[in-house]
Amino acid sequence: MSTTTRVGPALVRAMSGCASSSAQPAACGMHTSRWHTRGLPKHNVRLMKSPIAASHRGVCLTRWPVAATGTRRPSAFRTYGAAPGGEAGSVDDSFDHEDGGARDFFAELKWLPPLDPSKDVELVDTTQNPTTMVMPVFPLGSTAYMPHSDHVLNIFEPRYRSMYSDILFNGSRRFVVPVSHPTTGELAAVAPVFYLEDLKEVSEQTADAVKYVCSHKVIGRVRITRTLNDKVWADRSTYLKAVVTPLEDVDDDEDLSTKEQLLKERFVSIIAKQTKLGEPVRFTENLVDTLSAERGEDGLWRLAGLWQSLLQNRLSAKESELSNDIQVLLRNYLTKQGKDMQSKVTVQFDKLPQEIRNEFTRLQQTFREETLAMVGQTIYPFTLLVQCDSHAERLNVFGSMLEEEEKRLQAKVALQSLFNTNRGDSSAGEDGDKPASEEA
Protein backbone atom coordinates (compact mmCIF):
# COMPACT_ATOMS: atom_id res chain seq x y z
CA MET A 1 0.00 0.00 0.00
CA SER A 2 1.27 3.45 -0.77
CA THR A 3 0.12 7.00 -0.93
CA THR A 4 1.24 9.44 -3.58
CA THR A 5 0.58 13.15 -3.79
CA ARG A 6 1.61 14.96 -6.93
CA VAL A 7 3.79 18.03 -6.87
CA GLY A 8 1.49 20.87 -5.95
CA PRO A 9 0.23 23.13 -8.71
CA ALA A 10 2.14 26.35 -9.26
CA LEU A 11 5.04 25.19 -7.07
CA VAL A 12 8.77 25.32 -7.60
CA ARG A 13 10.63 22.55 -5.84
CA ALA A 14 14.37 23.08 -6.21
CA MET A 15 15.27 19.94 -4.27
CA SER A 16 16.83 16.63 -5.17
CA GLY A 17 15.09 13.29 -5.08
CA CYS A 18 11.79 11.85 -6.16
CA ALA A 19 8.30 12.53 -4.97
CA SER A 20 7.38 10.51 -1.93
CA SER A 21 4.44 9.86 0.33
CA SER A 22 2.85 12.72 2.17
CA ALA A 23 0.58 10.92 4.55
CA GLN A 24 -0.19 7.68 6.25
CA PRO A 25 -0.97 5.04 3.58
CA ALA A 26 -4.67 4.78 2.95
CA ALA A 27 -6.42 1.58 3.98
CA CYS A 28 -7.64 1.07 0.45
CA GLY A 29 -4.32 1.22 -1.37
CA MET A 30 -2.67 3.75 -3.62
CA HIS A 31 -4.04 7.25 -3.55
CA THR A 32 -3.37 10.23 -5.77
CA SER A 33 -4.82 13.68 -5.47
CA ARG A 34 -4.77 16.89 -7.41
CA TRP A 35 -6.25 20.36 -7.31
CA HIS A 36 -7.90 22.23 -10.13
CA THR A 37 -5.58 24.77 -11.72
CA ARG A 38 -7.82 26.37 -14.29
CA GLY A 39 -6.27 29.46 -15.77
CA LEU A 40 -2.72 28.39 -14.93
CA PRO A 41 -0.14 27.70 -17.64
CA LYS A 42 1.04 24.09 -17.80
CA HIS A 43 4.63 25.10 -17.02
CA ASN A 44 3.67 26.33 -13.55
CA VAL A 45 4.99 23.12 -12.03
CA ARG A 46 8.75 22.79 -12.11
CA LEU A 47 10.45 19.88 -10.38
CA MET A 48 14.23 20.16 -10.44
CA LYS A 49 16.16 17.03 -9.52
CA SER A 50 19.85 17.18 -8.75
CA PRO A 51 22.23 14.71 -10.45
CA ILE A 52 23.23 13.40 -7.03
CA ALA A 53 19.84 11.73 -6.57
CA ALA A 54 20.11 9.65 -9.71
CA SER A 55 23.76 8.71 -9.17
CA HIS A 56 23.03 7.25 -5.76
CA ARG A 57 20.32 4.85 -6.73
CA GLY A 58 22.81 2.02 -7.21
CA VAL A 59 23.12 1.47 -3.44
CA CYS A 60 20.49 -0.73 -1.82
CA LEU A 61 20.40 -1.00 1.96
CA THR A 62 18.53 -3.98 3.39
CA ARG A 63 17.30 -4.72 6.91
CA TRP A 64 16.97 -1.07 7.95
CA PRO A 65 16.33 -0.46 11.65
CA VAL A 66 12.59 0.18 11.36
CA ALA A 67 12.22 1.67 14.82
CA ALA A 68 14.64 4.44 13.96
CA THR A 69 13.14 5.26 10.59
CA GLY A 70 11.39 8.62 10.21
CA THR A 71 7.63 8.31 9.92
CA ARG A 72 4.66 10.38 8.91
CA ARG A 73 2.39 8.71 11.41
CA PRO A 74 0.95 11.70 13.28
CA SER A 75 0.67 9.93 16.64
CA ALA A 76 1.14 12.37 19.53
CA PHE A 77 1.28 15.35 17.16
CA ARG A 78 -0.12 18.64 18.32
CA THR A 79 -0.21 21.04 15.40
CA TYR A 80 0.67 24.55 16.44
CA GLY A 81 0.83 27.48 14.11
CA ALA A 82 4.57 27.95 14.57
CA ALA A 83 6.64 26.25 11.91
CA PRO A 84 9.68 24.20 12.92
CA GLY A 85 12.29 26.61 14.17
CA GLY A 86 9.80 29.45 13.92
CA GLU A 87 8.71 31.72 16.72
CA ALA A 88 5.21 31.34 18.07
CA GLY A 89 3.30 34.46 18.88
CA SER A 90 -0.02 36.25 18.73
CA VAL A 91 -1.85 36.91 15.51
CA ASP A 92 -2.72 40.47 14.67
CA ASP A 93 -6.23 41.82 14.10
CA SER A 94 -8.90 39.10 13.97
CA PHE A 95 -6.38 36.32 14.35
CA ASP A 96 -5.43 37.05 17.96
CA HIS A 97 -5.58 34.24 20.50
CA GLU A 98 -6.54 34.66 24.11
CA ASP A 99 -3.28 33.33 25.51
CA GLY A 100 -1.14 35.28 23.06
CA GLY A 101 0.46 32.03 21.87
CA ALA A 102 0.35 29.97 18.72
CA ARG A 103 -2.95 28.52 17.58
CA ASP A 104 -3.52 24.88 18.51
CA PHE A 105 -5.47 23.65 15.50
CA PHE A 106 -5.70 20.10 16.80
CA ALA A 107 -7.38 21.18 20.04
CA GLU A 108 -10.23 22.80 18.08
CA LEU A 109 -11.18 19.60 16.26
CA LYS A 110 -14.31 17.69 17.25
CA TRP A 111 -14.38 13.90 17.42
CA LEU A 112 -17.05 11.22 17.63
CA PRO A 113 -17.22 8.95 20.70
CA PRO A 114 -15.02 5.84 20.40
CA LEU A 115 -16.56 3.05 18.32
CA ASP A 116 -18.19 0.43 20.52
CA PRO A 117 -18.05 -3.11 19.05
CA SER A 118 -20.43 -4.36 21.76
CA LYS A 119 -23.20 -2.03 20.59
CA ASP A 120 -26.09 -3.62 18.72
CA VAL A 121 -26.34 -2.88 15.03
CA GLU A 122 -28.92 -0.15 14.37
CA LEU A 123 -31.08 -0.59 11.29
CA VAL A 124 -32.41 2.58 9.69
CA ASP A 125 -35.00 2.35 6.95
CA THR A 126 -34.55 5.55 4.96
CA THR A 127 -37.69 4.80 2.95
CA GLN A 128 -39.70 5.09 6.17
CA ASN A 129 -37.56 8.00 7.38
CA PRO A 130 -36.88 10.07 4.23
CA THR A 131 -35.32 12.91 6.21
CA THR A 132 -32.66 10.60 7.66
CA MET A 133 -29.49 10.34 5.61
CA VAL A 134 -27.30 7.22 5.96
CA MET A 135 -23.94 7.03 4.20
CA PRO A 136 -21.02 4.58 4.07
CA VAL A 137 -17.97 5.62 6.09
CA PHE A 138 -14.49 5.10 4.64
CA PRO A 139 -11.85 6.38 7.11
CA LEU A 140 -8.59 7.05 5.29
CA GLY A 141 -6.30 7.61 8.26
CA SER A 142 -4.47 10.88 8.53
CA THR A 143 -5.12 12.66 5.25
CA ALA A 144 -7.24 15.82 5.18
CA TYR A 145 -9.44 16.06 2.09
CA MET A 146 -11.15 19.30 1.12
CA PRO A 147 -14.09 20.22 -1.10
CA HIS A 148 -13.51 20.47 -4.86
CA SER A 149 -10.38 18.28 -4.84
CA ASP A 150 -10.04 15.13 -6.97
CA HIS A 151 -8.75 11.79 -5.69
CA VAL A 152 -8.01 8.34 -7.08
CA LEU A 153 -8.23 5.24 -4.87
CA ASN A 154 -7.17 1.66 -5.60
CA ILE A 155 -9.61 -0.65 -3.86
CA PHE A 156 -8.62 -4.14 -2.74
CA GLU A 157 -10.10 -4.76 0.74
CA PRO A 158 -13.20 -7.04 0.54
CA ARG A 159 -15.34 -4.74 2.71
CA TYR A 160 -14.67 -1.74 0.47
CA ARG A 161 -15.17 -3.79 -2.68
CA SER A 162 -18.61 -4.45 -1.24
CA MET A 163 -19.12 -0.76 -0.46
CA TYR A 164 -18.42 0.27 -4.06
CA SER A 165 -20.76 -2.41 -5.37
CA ASP A 166 -23.49 -1.07 -3.07
CA ILE A 167 -23.11 2.62 -3.96
CA LEU A 168 -23.13 1.73 -7.65
CA PHE A 169 -26.20 -0.48 -7.27
CA ASN A 170 -28.22 2.08 -5.29
CA GLY A 171 -27.01 4.97 -7.45
CA SER A 172 -25.81 7.17 -4.58
CA ARG A 173 -22.11 7.01 -5.51
CA ARG A 174 -21.34 8.81 -2.23
CA PHE A 175 -19.47 8.04 0.99
CA VAL A 176 -17.81 10.05 3.76
CA VAL A 177 -14.08 10.09 4.55
CA PRO A 178 -13.31 11.24 8.11
CA VAL A 179 -9.85 11.80 9.53
CA SER A 180 -8.90 9.49 12.42
CA HIS A 181 -7.59 10.71 15.79
CA PRO A 182 -3.83 9.95 15.89
CA THR A 183 -3.88 8.22 19.28
CA THR A 184 -7.44 7.08 20.04
CA GLY A 185 -8.63 6.24 16.54
CA GLU A 186 -11.80 8.29 17.03
CA LEU A 187 -13.35 9.63 13.85
CA ALA A 188 -13.69 13.33 13.08
CA ALA A 189 -17.24 14.60 13.64
CA VAL A 190 -17.21 16.46 10.30
CA ALA A 191 -16.07 14.78 7.11
CA PRO A 192 -15.87 15.44 3.36
CA VAL A 193 -18.17 13.60 0.96
CA PHE A 194 -16.56 11.68 -1.90
CA TYR A 195 -18.53 11.26 -5.12
CA LEU A 196 -17.53 8.38 -7.40
CA GLU A 197 -17.03 9.76 -10.91
CA ASP A 198 -15.38 6.79 -12.59
CA LEU A 199 -14.62 3.16 -11.73
CA LYS A 200 -12.40 0.74 -13.62
CA GLU A 201 -12.37 -3.00 -13.00
CA VAL A 202 -8.70 -4.11 -12.96
CA SER A 203 -8.92 -7.56 -11.36
CA GLU A 204 -7.51 -9.36 -14.40
CA GLN A 205 -4.61 -6.96 -14.85
CA THR A 206 -3.62 -7.17 -11.17
CA ALA A 207 -4.36 -10.87 -10.53
CA ASP A 208 -7.15 -9.66 -8.22
CA ALA A 209 -4.69 -7.80 -5.98
CA VAL A 210 -6.67 -4.64 -6.82
CA LYS A 211 -10.36 -4.80 -7.69
CA TYR A 212 -11.18 -1.22 -8.70
CA VAL A 213 -9.39 1.97 -9.65
CA CYS A 214 -11.79 4.74 -8.68
CA SER A 215 -11.82 8.46 -9.43
CA HIS A 216 -13.64 10.81 -7.05
CA LYS A 217 -14.49 14.43 -6.47
CA VAL A 218 -15.13 15.90 -3.02
CA ILE A 219 -18.59 17.45 -3.39
CA GLY A 220 -19.42 18.62 0.12
CA ARG A 221 -19.23 18.07 3.89
CA VAL A 222 -21.41 16.37 6.48
CA ARG A 223 -21.71 16.13 10.24
CA ILE A 224 -21.62 12.53 11.41
CA THR A 225 -24.48 12.19 13.90
CA ARG A 226 -23.85 8.58 14.93
CA THR A 227 -22.41 5.34 13.60
CA LEU A 228 -24.80 2.42 13.12
CA ASN A 229 -22.75 -0.77 13.00
CA ASP A 230 -19.64 -0.37 15.18
CA LYS A 231 -19.31 -4.14 15.48
CA VAL A 232 -18.20 -4.53 11.85
CA TRP A 233 -15.35 -2.09 12.38
CA ALA A 234 -13.79 -4.58 14.78
CA ASP A 235 -14.33 -7.78 12.75
CA ARG A 236 -13.85 -6.08 9.34
CA SER A 237 -16.76 -8.10 7.96
CA THR A 238 -18.16 -5.13 6.07
CA TYR A 239 -17.95 -1.34 5.94
CA LEU A 240 -19.07 1.18 8.54
CA LYS A 241 -22.29 3.19 8.12
CA ALA A 242 -23.43 6.40 9.81
CA VAL A 243 -26.31 8.84 10.03
CA VAL A 244 -25.16 12.19 8.67
CA THR A 245 -26.51 15.69 8.08
CA PRO A 246 -25.25 18.08 5.38
CA LEU A 247 -23.03 20.90 6.61
CA GLU A 248 -23.74 24.26 5.01
CA ASP A 249 -22.23 27.64 5.82
CA VAL A 250 -24.34 29.86 8.05
CA ASP A 251 -23.03 33.13 6.62
CA ASP A 252 -23.69 32.85 2.88
CA ASP A 253 -25.37 36.27 2.84
CA GLU A 254 -22.61 38.09 4.74
CA ASP A 255 -20.31 40.43 2.82
CA LEU A 256 -16.74 39.41 3.67
CA SER A 257 -15.04 41.02 0.66
CA THR A 258 -12.73 43.18 2.80
CA LYS A 259 -11.42 40.20 4.78
CA GLU A 260 -11.10 38.16 1.57
CA GLN A 261 -9.02 40.89 -0.06
CA LEU A 262 -6.75 41.22 2.98
CA LEU A 263 -6.15 37.47 3.00
CA LYS A 264 -5.36 37.45 -0.70
CA GLU A 265 -2.88 40.29 -0.24
CA ARG A 266 -1.12 38.36 2.53
CA PHE A 267 -0.89 35.31 0.27
CA VAL A 268 0.57 37.44 -2.54
CA SER A 269 3.07 38.99 -0.13
CA ILE A 270 4.20 35.53 0.99
CA ILE A 271 4.79 34.48 -2.62
CA ALA A 272 6.97 37.56 -3.14
CA LYS A 273 8.99 36.87 0.02
CA GLN A 274 9.44 33.21 -0.89
CA THR A 275 10.75 34.22 -4.30
CA LYS A 276 13.10 36.86 -2.90
CA LEU A 277 14.55 34.41 -0.38
CA GLY A 278 14.89 31.69 -3.00
CA GLU A 279 12.89 29.19 -0.96
CA PRO A 280 13.65 25.64 -2.17
CA VAL A 281 9.92 24.84 -2.28
CA ARG A 282 7.81 27.85 -3.18
CA PHE A 283 4.95 29.15 -5.28
CA THR A 284 5.62 30.53 -8.74
CA GLU A 285 4.98 34.25 -9.22
CA ASN A 286 2.59 33.73 -12.15
CA LEU A 287 0.13 32.28 -9.63
CA VAL A 288 -0.61 35.73 -8.22
CA ASP A 289 -3.15 36.83 -10.83
CA THR A 290 -5.27 33.70 -10.30
CA LEU A 291 -5.73 33.99 -6.51
CA SER A 292 -9.00 34.60 -4.73
CA ALA A 293 -10.21 34.10 -1.15
CA GLU A 294 -13.88 34.26 -2.03
CA ARG A 295 -16.43 31.52 -1.50
CA GLY A 296 -16.56 28.61 -3.90
CA GLU A 297 -14.32 26.24 -5.78
CA ASP A 298 -11.92 28.83 -7.20
CA GLY A 299 -11.69 30.85 -4.00
CA LEU A 300 -10.57 30.00 -0.49
CA TRP A 301 -10.86 26.23 -0.94
CA ARG A 302 -8.42 26.44 -3.83
CA LEU A 303 -6.03 28.58 -1.76
CA ALA A 304 -6.17 25.94 0.98
CA GLY A 305 -5.43 23.20 -1.55
CA LEU A 306 -2.43 25.11 -2.85
CA TRP A 307 -1.19 25.66 0.69
CA GLN A 308 -1.54 21.99 1.56
CA SER A 309 0.45 21.09 -1.56
CA LEU A 310 3.22 23.46 -0.48
CA LEU A 311 3.49 21.86 2.96
CA GLN A 312 3.35 18.31 1.57
CA ASN A 313 6.13 19.08 -0.89
CA ARG A 314 8.29 20.57 1.85
CA LEU A 315 7.89 17.30 3.71
CA SER A 316 8.79 15.34 0.57
CA ALA A 317 11.86 17.53 0.14
CA LYS A 318 12.95 16.64 3.68
CA GLU A 319 12.53 12.96 2.87
CA SER A 320 14.63 13.41 -0.26
CA GLU A 321 17.35 15.08 1.81
CA LEU A 322 17.38 12.14 4.22
CA SER A 323 17.56 9.65 1.35
CA ASN A 324 20.43 11.55 -0.29
CA ASP A 325 22.36 11.91 2.98
CA ILE A 326 22.08 8.18 3.63
CA GLN A 327 23.15 7.35 0.09
CA VAL A 328 26.18 9.66 0.37
CA LEU A 329 27.11 8.01 3.67
CA LEU A 330 26.91 4.55 2.14
CA ARG A 331 28.72 5.47 -1.06
CA ASN A 332 31.59 7.07 0.82
CA TYR A 333 31.95 3.96 2.99
CA LEU A 334 31.73 1.54 0.06
CA THR A 335 34.17 3.56 -2.02
CA LYS A 336 36.71 3.34 0.78
CA GLN A 337 36.12 -0.42 0.82
CA GLY A 338 37.04 -0.56 -2.87
CA LYS A 339 33.55 -1.47 -4.11
CA ASP A 340 32.68 -0.96 -7.77
CA MET A 341 30.05 1.81 -7.63
CA GLN A 342 29.20 1.52 -11.33
CA SER A 343 26.91 -1.43 -10.59
CA LYS A 344 24.19 -2.01 -8.02
CA VAL A 345 25.51 -2.79 -4.54
CA THR A 346 23.43 -4.37 -1.77
CA VAL A 347 24.44 -3.79 1.84
CA GLN A 348 22.97 -5.32 5.01
CA PHE A 349 22.58 -2.75 7.76
CA ASP A 350 23.74 -5.07 10.54
CA LYS A 351 26.96 -5.79 8.61
CA LEU A 352 28.01 -2.12 8.57
CA PRO A 353 30.59 -0.79 11.05
CA GLN A 354 29.19 0.65 14.27
CA GLU A 355 30.21 4.21 13.43
CA ILE A 356 28.31 4.05 10.13
CA ARG A 357 25.23 2.65 11.84
CA ASN A 358 25.44 5.37 14.49
CA GLU A 359 25.60 8.08 11.83
CA PHE A 360 22.70 6.44 9.99
CA THR A 361 20.59 6.49 13.16
CA ARG A 362 21.58 10.10 13.84
CA LEU A 363 20.41 11.15 10.37
CA GLN A 364 17.06 9.43 10.91
CA GLN A 365 16.59 10.95 14.34
CA THR A 366 17.37 14.43 13.01
CA PHE A 367 14.85 13.89 10.24
CA ARG A 368 12.18 12.79 12.70
CA GLU A 369 12.75 15.78 14.95
CA GLU A 370 12.61 18.20 12.02
CA THR A 371 9.45 16.71 10.51
CA LEU A 372 7.30 15.99 13.56
CA ALA A 373 5.48 19.31 13.40
CA MET A 374 5.56 19.34 9.59
CA VAL A 375 3.44 16.17 9.41
CA GLY A 376 0.70 17.61 11.57
CA GLN A 377 0.73 20.88 9.64
CA THR A 378 -0.38 19.01 6.50
CA ILE A 379 -3.37 17.47 8.32
CA TYR A 380 -5.05 19.20 11.23
CA PRO A 381 -5.33 22.85 10.11
CA PHE A 382 -7.04 21.60 6.94
CA THR A 383 -9.29 19.25 8.91
CA LEU A 384 -10.32 22.32 10.92
CA LEU A 385 -11.14 24.17 7.68
CA VAL A 386 -13.48 21.33 6.73
CA GLN A 387 -15.10 21.50 10.17
CA CYS A 388 -15.84 25.26 10.02
CA ASP A 389 -19.49 26.10 9.44
CA SER A 390 -18.87 29.60 8.08
CA HIS A 391 -16.72 31.27 5.48
CA ALA A 392 -15.68 33.88 8.03
CA GLU A 393 -14.34 31.19 10.36
CA ARG A 394 -12.35 29.59 7.54
CA LEU A 395 -10.82 32.97 6.68
CA ASN A 396 -9.79 33.22 10.32
CA VAL A 397 -8.23 29.74 10.41
CA PHE A 398 -6.42 30.20 7.12
CA GLY A 399 -5.15 33.57 8.29
CA SER A 400 -3.58 31.84 11.30
CA MET A 401 -1.89 29.39 8.94
CA LEU A 402 -0.51 32.19 6.77
CA GLU A 403 0.79 34.09 9.76
CA GLU A 404 3.13 31.27 10.75
CA GLU A 405 4.65 31.32 7.28
CA GLU A 406 5.03 35.08 7.57
CA LYS A 407 6.90 34.60 10.85
CA ARG A 408 9.10 31.90 9.38
CA LEU A 409 10.04 34.05 6.39
CA GLN A 410 10.59 37.08 8.63
CA ALA A 411 13.01 35.05 10.75
CA LYS A 412 14.92 34.00 7.63
CA VAL A 413 15.14 37.61 6.46
CA ALA A 414 16.46 38.65 9.89
CA LEU A 415 19.11 35.90 9.82
CA GLN A 416 20.08 36.83 6.29
CA SER A 417 20.37 40.49 7.26
CA LEU A 418 22.48 39.61 10.30
CA PHE A 419 24.76 37.46 8.19
CA ASN A 420 25.21 40.23 5.60
CA THR A 421 25.89 42.79 8.36
CA ASN A 422 28.56 40.61 9.96
CA ARG A 423 30.15 39.95 6.61
CA GLY A 424 30.14 43.68 5.85
CA ASP A 425 31.77 44.47 9.20
CA SER A 426 34.42 41.88 8.53
CA SER A 427 35.19 43.33 5.12
CA ALA A 428 35.31 46.86 6.53
CA GLY A 429 37.76 45.72 9.19
CA GLU A 430 40.06 44.23 6.62
CA ASP A 431 39.94 47.39 4.51
CA GLY A 432 40.63 49.54 7.56
CA ASP A 433 43.76 47.60 8.45
CA LYS A 434 45.46 48.29 5.15
CA PRO A 435 46.23 52.01 5.68
CA ALA A 436 47.65 51.30 9.12
CA SER A 437 49.88 48.68 7.61
CA GLU A 438 51.01 51.05 4.91
CA GLU A 439 51.78 53.81 7.47
CA ALA A 440 53.93 51.38 9.39
Side-chain angles (χ1 to χ4, degrees), residues 298-326:
D298 295 322
L300 184 60
W301 285 119
R302 176 170 171 269
L303 285 190
L306 292 170
W307 198 259
Q308 189 179 45
S309 295
L310 176 75
L311 298 178
Q312 289 171 339
N313 277 275
R314 281 181 180 165
L315 196 52
S316 294
K318 279 291 183 183
E319 291 175 343
S320 295
E321 288 178 16
L322 172 65
S323 177
N324 287 338
D325 289 344
I326 289 174

Coordinates of all heavy atoms in Angstrom, one line a residue, residues 298-326:
D298 N -13.1 28.1 -6.8 CA -11.9 28.8 -7.2 C -11.5 29.9 -6.2 O -10.6 30.7 -6.5 CB -12.2 29.5 -8.6 CG -12.4 28.5 -9.7 OD1 -11.7 27.4 -9.6 OD2 -13.3 28.7 -10.5
G299 N -12.0 29.9 -5.0 CA -11.7 30.9 -4.0 C -10.9 30.3 -2.9 O -9.8 29.7 -3.1
L300 N -11.3 30.4 -1.7 CA -10.6 30.0 -0.5 C -10.2 28.5 -0.5 O -9.1 28.1 0.0 CB -11.3 30.4 0.8 CG -10.6 30.1 2.1 CD1 -9.3 30.9 2.2 CD2 -11.5 30.5 3.3
W301 N -11.2 27.7 -0.9 CA -10.9 26.2 -0.9 C -9.7 25.9 -1.8 O -8.8 25.1 -1.5 CB -12.1 25.4 -1.4 CG -13.1 25.3 -0.4 CD1 -14.4 25.7 -0.4 CD2 -13.0 24.7 0.9 NE1 -15.1 25.5 0.7 CE2 -14.3 24.8 1.6 CE3 -12.0 24.1 1.6 CZ2 -14.5 24.3 2.9 CZ3 -12.2 23.6 2.9 CH2 -13.5 23.7 3.5
R302 N -9.6 26.7 -2.9 CA -8.4 26.4 -3.8 C -7.1 26.9 -3.2 O -6.1 26.3 -3.3 CB -8.6 27.2 -5.2 CG -7.4 27.1 -6.1 CD -7.8 27.6 -7.5 NE -6.6 27.7 -8.3 CZ -5.8 28.8 -8.4 NH1 -6.2 29.9 -7.7 NH2 -4.8 28.8 -9.2
L303 N -7.2 28.1 -2.5 CA -6.0 28.6 -1.8 C -5.6 27.5 -0.7 O -4.4 27.3 -0.6 CB -6.4 29.9 -1.0 CG -6.5 31.2 -1.8 CD1 -6.6 32.4 -0.9 CD2 -5.3 31.3 -2.8
A304 N -6.5 26.9 0.0 CA -6.2 25.9 1.0 C -5.5 24.7 0.3 O -4.6 24.2 0.9 CB -7.4 25.5 1.8
G305 N -6.0 24.3 -0.8 CA -5.4 23.2 -1.6 C -4.0 23.5 -2.0 O -3.1 22.6 -1.9
L306 N -3.8 24.7 -2.5 CA -2.4 25.1 -2.9 C -1.5 25.1 -1.6 O -0.4 24.6 -1.7 CB -2.5 26.5 -3.5 CG -3.1 26.6 -4.8 CD1 -3.3 28.1 -5.2 CD2 -2.3 25.9 -5.9
W307 N -2.0 25.6 -0.5 CA -1.2 25.7 0.7 C -0.8 24.3 1.2 O 0.3 24.0 1.6 CB -1.9 26.5 1.8 CG -1.0 26.9 2.8 CD1 -0.8 26.4 4.1 CD2 -0.1 28.0 2.7 NE1 0.2 27.1 4.7 CE2 0.6 28.1 3.9 CE3 0.2 28.9 1.7 CZ2 1.6 29.1 4.2 CZ3 1.2 29.9 2.0 CH2 1.9 29.9 3.2
Q308 N -1.8 23.4 1.1 CA -1.5 22.0 1.6 C -0.5 21.3 0.7 O 0.4 20.6 1.1 CB -2.8 21.2 1.5 CG -2.7 19.8 2.1 CD -4.0 19.0 2.1 OE1 -4.7 19.0 1.0 NE2 -4.4 18.4 3.2
S309 N -0.5 21.6 -0.6 CA 0.5 21.1 -1.6 C 1.8 21.6 -1.2 O 2.8 20.9 -1.3 CB 0.1 21.5 -3.0 OG -1.1 20.9 -3.4
L310 N 1.9 22.9 -0.9 CA 3.2 23.5 -0.5 C 3.8 22.7 0.7 O 5.0 22.3 0.7 CB 3.0 24.9 -0.1 CG 4.3 25.7 0.4 CD1 5.3 26.0 -0.8 CD2 3.9 27.0 1.1
L311 N 3.0 22.5 1.8 CA 3.5 21.9 3.0 C 3.9 20.4 2.7 O 4.9 19.9 3.2 CB 2.4 21.9 4.1 CG 2.0 23.4 4.5 CD1 0.9 23.3 5.6 CD2 3.2 24.1 5.0
Q312 N 3.1 19.7 1.9 CA 3.4 18.3 1.6 C 4.7 18.2 0.8 O 5.4 17.3 1.0 CB 2.2 17.7 0.8 CG 0.9 17.5 1.6 CD -0.3 17.1 0.8 OE1 -0.3 17.3 -0.4 NE2 -1.3 16.5 1.5
N313 N 4.9 19.1 -0.1 CA 6.1 19.1 -0.9 C 7.4 19.5 -0.1 O 8.5 19.0 -0.3 CB 6.0 20.0 -2.1 CG 5.3 19.2 -3.3 OD1 5.9 18.5 -4.0 ND2 4.0 19.4 -3.3
R314 N 7.2 20.3 0.9 CA 8.3 20.6 1.9 C 8.7 19.3 2.6 O 9.8 19.0 2.8 CB 7.9 21.7 2.8 CG 8.0 23.1 2.3 CD 7.6 24.1 3.3 NE 7.7 25.4 2.8 CZ 7.2 26.5 3.3 NH1 6.5 26.4 4.5 NH2 7.3 27.7 2.8
L315 N 7.7 18.5 3.0 CA 7.9 17.3 3.7 C 8.6 16.3 2.8 O 9.5 15.6 3.2 CB 6.6 16.7 4.2 CG 6.6 15.6 5.3 CD1 7.5 16.0 6.5 CD2 5.2 15.3 5.7
S316 N 8.1 16.2 1.5 CA 8.8 15.3 0.6 C 10.2 15.7 0.3 O 11.1 14.9 0.2 CB 8.0 15.4 -0.8 OG 6.7 14.8 -0.6
A317 N 10.5 17.0 0.3 CA 11.9 17.5 0.1 C 12.8 17.1 1.3 O 13.9 16.7 1.1 CB 11.9 19.0 0.0
K318 N 12.2 17.1 2.5 CA 13.0 16.6 3.7 C 13.3 15.2 3.6 O 14.4 14.7 3.9 CB 12.2 16.9 5.0 CG 12.3 18.3 5.5 CD 13.7 18.6 6.0 CE 13.7 20.0 6.6 NZ 15.1 20.3 7.1
E319 N 12.3 14.4 3.1 CA 12.5 13.0 2.9 C 13.6 12.7 1.8 O 14.4 11.8 2.0 CB 11.2 12.3 2.5 CG 10.2 12.2 3.6 CD 8.9 11.7 3.2 OE1 8.6 11.6 2.0 OE2 8.1 11.3 4.1
S320 N 13.6 13.5 0.8 CA 14.6 13.4 -0.3 C 16.0 13.7 0.3 O 17.0 13.1 0.0 CB 14.3 14.3 -1.4 OG 13.1 14.0 -2.1
E321 N 16.1 14.7 1.2 CA 17.4 15.1 1.8 C 17.9 13.9 2.6 O 19.1 13.6 2.6 CB 17.2 16.3 2.7 CG 17.0 17.6 2.0 CD 16.8 18.8 2.9 OE1 17.1 18.6 4.1 OE2 16.3 19.8 2.5
L322 N 17.0 13.3 3.4 CA 17.4 12.1 4.2 C 17.9 11.0 3.3 O 19.0 10.4 3.6 CB 16.2 11.6 5.0 CG 16.4 10.3 5.8 CD1 17.5 10.5 6.9 CD2 15.1 9.8 6.4
S323 N 17.2 10.7 2.3 CA 17.6 9.7 1.4 C 18.9 9.9 0.7 O 19.8 9.1 0.7 CB 16.5 9.5 0.3 OG 16.9 8.5 -0.7
N324 N 19.1 11.2 0.3 CA 20.4 11.6 -0.3 C 21.6 11.5 0.7 O 22.7 11.0 0.4 CB 20.4 13.0 -0.9 CG 19.5 13.0 -2.1 OD1 19.4 12.0 -2.8 ND2 19.0 14.2 -2.5
D325 N 21.3 11.9 2.0 CA 22.4 11.9 3.0 C 22.8 10.5 3.3 O 24.0 10.2 3.5 CB 21.9 12.6 4.3 CG 21.8 14.1 4.1 OD1 22.3 14.6 3.2 OD2 21.1 14.7 5.0
I326 N 21.8 9.6 3.4 CA 22.1 8.2 3.6 C 22.9 7.6 2.5 O 23.8 6.8 2.7 CB 20.8 7.4 3.9 CG1 20.2 7.8 5.3 CG2 21.0 5.9 3.9 CD1 18.8 7.2 5.6

